[in-house]
Amino acid sequence: PPCASHGSIDPLPPPRDARVAEKGAPITNLPIHTAALAGNLSEVKRLIIDRPGLVHKRGLYLRTPLLCAASRGHLDVRSSLT
């Protein structure tokens, strides 16, 4: 669309959606990501006892559970994931 002061401007490309940056990346969080974001240490521990590989799973925006916990300042949860 034309701009009054600069004439015609090409529209910007849509922003890159980090949720689909990798083929097959999830578009939602798993329960371990939700628990890490909430600071629910007991739930995080229960989940990783049942399925240890969950600590490496990527969720929304390709964040690991460790990154989810750290982003909210849940140091106890973060420590349990390292």
Side-chain angles (χ1 to χ4, degrees):
C3 175
S5 61
H6 296 95
S8 180
I9 297 176
D10 291 332
L12 294 174
R16 183 172 179 229
D17 190 342
R19 295 178 299 172
V20 294
E22 292 179 8
K23 185 177 180 180
I27 58 169
T28 188
N29 283 327
L30 297 171
I32 193 165
H33 299 98
T34 304
L37 285 165
N40 189 338
L41 180 59
S42 61
E43 181 66 4
V44 168
K45 285 182 175 183
R46 185 189 71 75
L47 288 165
I48 59 177
I49 286 170
D50 291 344
R51 293 182 57 202
L54 287 175
V55 298
H56 304 293
K57 292 290 185 181
R58 299 213 177 243
L60 189 61
Y61 304 112
L62 301 176
R63 294 185 298 181
T64 61
L66 182 124
L67 290 173
C68 291
S71 73
R72 298 279 175 91
H74 301 303
L75 302 181
D76 54 342
V77 175
R78 187 195 69 181
S79 295
S80 73
L81 294 165
T82 56

